[in-house]
Amino acid sequence: MGSVQIVTTILAAAITAVAVWLAVRAVMKMTAVIRLGQSAPERFSDKGARTRKMLVETLGHTRMLKWSVVGAAHWFVMVGFIVLSLLVLEAYFEVVTPTGGLPIIGHWTIFGLGTEIIGVLGVVGIVVLMAIRLRNRPTRPGGRSRFTGSTMWQGYFVEWIVLLVLIFGFVIRGFKVATDHFEYPLWATPVSHAVGAVLPDWQAGASVAALIKIVISMTWLIVISLNVTMGVAWHRFLAFPNIFFKREPAKPAGSGLGALRPMTSQGKPLDFEEADPEKDQFGVAQVEQFTWKGLLDFSTCTECGRCQSQCPAWNTGKPLSPKLLVLSLRDHAYAKAPYLLAGGGKDLTGEEKATAAQLAHVDVLALAEGDKPLIGTAEEGGVIDPDVLWSCTTCGACVEQCPVDIEHVDHIVDMRRYQVLIESSFPSEAGVMLRNLENKGNPWGAPQNTREDWTKGLDFEVPRVGEVDDFEYLFWVGCAGAFEDRAKKTTRAVATLLNEAGVKFAILGEGETCSGDPARRIGNEFVFQMLAQQNVETLNEAFEGREKSKRKIVATCPHCFNTLGNEYGQLGGEFEVVHHTQLLAHLVATGKLTPVQPVDGGVTYHDPCYLGRHNRVFAPPREVLGTAIAGELTEMPRNSERSFCCGAGGARMWMEEKIGKRINVDRVEEAMSTGARTVAVGCPFCSTMLNDGVNGKGAGEQVEVVDVASVLLRSVKPEQAPGDRETAPVAG
């Protein structure tokens, strides 16, 4: 060992020791913060499925590759980081001697070839990612960026570190080539040999370059250890457990889609019959009341802004960005942590849990953070502004896009639950809807004895459950389908088509009440459970004696479809639920419905969030339309899993949209840009919102918004089509 190698070895050991010590301290701090969260025992179920899903999503990059160029570049960088960590380890042998290398595998030609390829592709990948970040920088002209609100220096820092580490990997090899100490042939490592051809014959070069590589790597580790909220770096480690502990690993898309996470206290679903607000947690009022998985979510956020780029609220000038909401909760959690870890915090009655002695040495900034309300305006010092909380449509675009499986919608609804159930703080216009649900069993407040009025005038009898036992499907009409004039046309169309196809079905009639979706999404879990338990009891009675596979329900409203199929199981209601477009597609495919007159004029289809993104029903509506229209379906730029929300979800149907551009207008403009005269929908809420948007644009004579079932009915029974145009404005 020469004098140069003595110096490089000492310096490498010193900076590594500092970096490792700081990293251990950082990991302990992060672990302590995450452990502050509430229990979530369900996250440890089915470890085999969780492991498989984690490996598929990380190694296969299945979610990242939804954005193909970014996904491919990131995959090469990720593989480079994992595999080329071996070359960082090898650098510790090279600082000791310029001819050093990894034991055993370090001399294998296949190892040299593999690391050469990964190194080259890693350089290409990181350069592409750097170019994308620069092209989408928040300061660029031309509108909002998905990186708006991200900590940009951290992103640039991480990317430059990766690039420099990769470059110095080739520099080390180049010096070995120049000094004739390289063990790999030219054909296996052409780039390394090309670098060596321009480097001097400096015997100590490899050791010095190895030291620089170690210094760069350890500088990165030191910086991220001093910045535990640096998600753009820490996600390299946290993404694996965050994906492993996702809510439902078997789901094909984001596990935070479909059903909402039940309202829990102390790790168990809350039973309202026995719940006590002084002992049980009603929603989330403090950041430590999120589960530990929630705190892990916040820590894992990469600040990539994919969620932000797809969010309908953000894209129409609302203050909500799913990314910024998560970052605010993350920063608040870590700033408040010293106070919480000292024993501080408020109990469920609002009293301080810690003694003065426990808090005596806590930093004043952490104490101040502990006094901040989780939901509050800037004047109140709140972490999350109420306008942010109530702008969410729960469309799930954020969950769909998140590459590390953050469950934004669950966290938003958990905060809403506390605001509604304990604080009684929510948009005033939604209060009418909630009172109608409690008193009338539907959000419009219509008399229950008018639930069957839609059947009047049909040329066939609509059977009721109880009057007939021999039915295959229970037709869940829903509140909109029973009371809202436009949606009643869809209900009549579906019933007519089922009758035409010879499908035996029955309705509950006055025995049906609201599924509870708007109550649950706004945060009123109590009203949801009241309605849901009533419906589960009614449905179980209607299906008494039938096994689950024969307890079939068809619903025209995706919100009812989602609630009955995905959430009623939480309350003892196990049913096979299909959307009407799924059943109609099956009836057409089996020849029980035959379109005879194509509908022309051009048709585009709007994917309802709770049908498409939340439940992956994309093909059936398109299959129905494909048989019923003349020519090809014209797709909007944002379709299928990237479909843009109509603005009605998350109980926004009953709240005024006072900030920014109206979401439904944005969507209508996109639909009109296709040139189609008909906008087909599969949801009564979407129908209302898009019709309002069309009428607001003064385009009611040029563009028609109509349900898929009505389009099919016009084709199957054209004689019944006149007078069914659905462009009349809706009051309220």
Side-chain angles (χ1 to χ4, degrees), residues 85-359:
S85 294
L86 291 173
L87 298 187
V88 175
L89 177 60
E90 187 175 49
Y92 285 93
F93 293 92
E94 291 161 339
V95 294
V96 177
T97 172
T99 61
L102 283 176
I104 305 174
I105 65 172
H107 299 284
W108 293 355
T109 299
I110 189 66
F111 177 74
L113 173 63
T115 50
E116 185 90 352
I117 293 172
I118 292 170
V120 171
L121 294 177
V123 169
V124 173
I126 198 62
V127 169
V128 168
L129 294 181
M130 293 170 80
I132 290 172
R133 186 178 294 272
L134 287 169
R135 189 183 66 195
N136 291 280
R137 63 192 184 281
T139 55
R140 86 198 197 289
R144 290 182 168 185
S145 161
R146 67 183 176 98
F147 291 116
T148 298
S150 298
T151 314
M152 294 301 288
W153 76 261
Q154 295 180 352
Y156 292 134
F157 171 77
V158 168
E159 287 166 349
W160 273 104
I161 287 289
V162 172
L163 181 60
L164 290 172
V165 167
L166 290 169
I167 289 173
F168 270 90
F170 287 111
V171 171
I172 295 169
R173 287 185 163 188
F175 274 118
K176 286 186 173 182
V177 170
T179 56
D180 200 25
H181 294 309
F182 199 45
E183 53 268 79
Y184 307 123
L186 173 62
W187 67 265
T189 53
V191 176
S192 298
H193 278 83
V195 173
V198 299
L199 290 178
D201 180 4
W202 181 25
Q203 291 296 322
S207 294
V208 172
L211 173 63
I212 295 172
K213 183 175 182 177
I214 290 170
V215 168
I216 293 170
S217 301
M218 293 304 109
T219 298
W220 174 79
L221 189 56
I222 289 169
V223 170
I224 73 167
S225 297
L226 295 174
N227 293 272
V228 290
T229 58
M230 196 170 173
V232 70
W234 282 106
H235 84 273
R236 297 180 176 205
F237 309 107
L238 298 179
F240 296 96
N242 206 57
I243 294 170
F244 180 87
F245 288 116
K246 63 160 61 182
R247 177 148 60 87
E248 296 181 61
K251 277 200 169 184
S255 73
L257 295 172
L260 278 174
R261 182 175 174 271
M263 191 168 168
T264 61
S265 179
Q266 299 176 0
K268 299 177 181 178
L270 196 65
D271 183 348
F272 279 96
E273 294 183 2
E274 301 178 0
D276 181 351
E278 295 189 1
K279 297 179 181 178
D280 293 301
Q281 182 179 311
F282 281 60
V284 170
Q286 305 289 336
V287 72
E288 65 272 19
Q289 290 178 347
F290 287 106
T291 66
W292 61 262
K293 174 57 169 62
L295 295 177
L296 179 59
D297 270 359
F298 308 152
S299 302
T300 308
C301 179
T302 71
E303 304 188 25
C304 67
R306 287 188 177 208
C307 58
Q308 182 171 285
S309 72
Q310 304 296 304
C311 176
W314 177 260
N315 278 289
T316 53
K318 314 294 189 292
L320 169 65
S321 156
K323 177 188 71 178
L324 297 180
L325 178 139
V326 166
L327 298 187
S328 295
L329 293 171
R330 177 198 69 189
D331 293 345
H332 172 60
Y334 281 89
K336 188 178 180 181
Y339 160 68
L340 295 172
L341 292 171
K346 305 293 192 297
D347 62 22
L348 294 174
T349 65
E351 296 295 320
E352 175 59 58
K353 293 188 288 187
T355 64
Q358 286 177 295
L359 302 179

Side-chain angles (χ1 to χ4, degrees), residues 407-448:
E407 297 158 7
H408 311 73
V409 173
D410 281 345
H411 304 321
I412 288 171
V413 172
D414 270 342
M415 291 186 284
R416 285 184 172 187
R417 285 166 169 166
Y418 180 83
Q419 294 300 304
V420 172
L421 294 171
I422 302 299
E423 297 290 338
S424 296
S425 176
F426 50 88
S428 57
E429 60 269 25
V432 177
M433 177 269 290
L434 289 172
R435 286 193 295 274
N436 285 336
L437 287 177
E438 288 191 75
N439 300 326
K440 299 289 188 178
N442 68 86
W444 282 276
Q448 185 72 354

